[in-house]
Amino acid sequence: MASKQVLVAVVAAAALAVAFLPGLAVATEYVVGDDKGWTLDFNYTAWTETKQFVVGDTLVFEYNSGAHNVVEVGGPDFLSCTKPANAVVWNSGEDRVTLDKAGRRWFFCAVGQHCQNGMKLKITVLETAAPTPQPAPAPFA
Ligand code: CU1
């Protein structure tokens, strides 16, 4: 009997921990493209759809530094694959970009026609993680 009570307590504690997890959210590091990395022939739009980016998270672009780069631009330049002269360019092959504020950010590879061929990433950074649904508060008695 005692072991059953212990089990119930453990399950309850685990449930509590899960319930409070969003409040304890730690910064997440996202390797762009997961095991494929930053490359051609990858659907980054589909990749972002399964992610939720929050201020404090980090993007890591991993690629062969001779083959690609990472340029951050504004929305219109993203659409047209235009690299402005003053654009921020990363080219280490393992570029870490901290998402330090909420809003949209646009990145593409400025090598050859890579951007035109889909090597581009658009994300929306949230101020905080979207809240999980909570039960409705009890009405006043
Ligand atoms: Cu590229």
Side-chain angles (χ1 to χ4, degrees):
M1 275 307 172
S3 66
K4 189 176 179 185
Q5 285 174 332
V6 168
L7 181 64
V8 168
V10 168
V11 169
L16 270 176
V18 169
F20 284 97
L21 219 51
L24 304 172
V26 289
T28 304
E29 199 173 276
Y30 294 98
V31 174
V32 177
D34 298 320
D35 56 326
K36 299 284 188 219
W38 183 232
T39 184
L40 286 163
D41 302 319
F42 188 90
N43 186 339
Y44 292 100
T45 304
W47 182 79
T48 58
E49 281 168 1
T50 61
K51 313 286 184 296
Q52 181 176 256
F53 304 99
V54 178
V55 171
D57 290 349
T58 302
L59 295 180
V60 184
F61 292 87
E62 294 184 345
Y63 56 94
N64 179 332
S65 61
H68 304 292
N69 62 18
V70 180
V71 178
E72 180 162 17
V73 295
D77 287 333
F78 179 83
L79 284 176
S80 61
C81 290
T82 303
K83 178 168 106 37
N86 64 347
V88 178
V89 181
W90 290 274
N91 52 22
S92 75
E94 189 175 336
D95 308 322
R96 308 174 66 81
V97 179
T98 301
L99 307 176
D100 52 1
K101 60 182 187 301
R104 294 196 178 198
R105 294 184 74 169
W106 298 268
F107 304 90
F108 68 73
C109 174
V111 172
Q113 300 293 303
H114 294 190
C115 176
Q116 287 84 349
N117 288 319
M119 199 171 168
K120 54 203 299 192
L121 173 73
K122 172 177 73 176
I123 63 166
T124 300
V125 182
L126 303 175
E127 194 68 57
T128 54
T132 50
Q134 299 291 320
F140 282 104

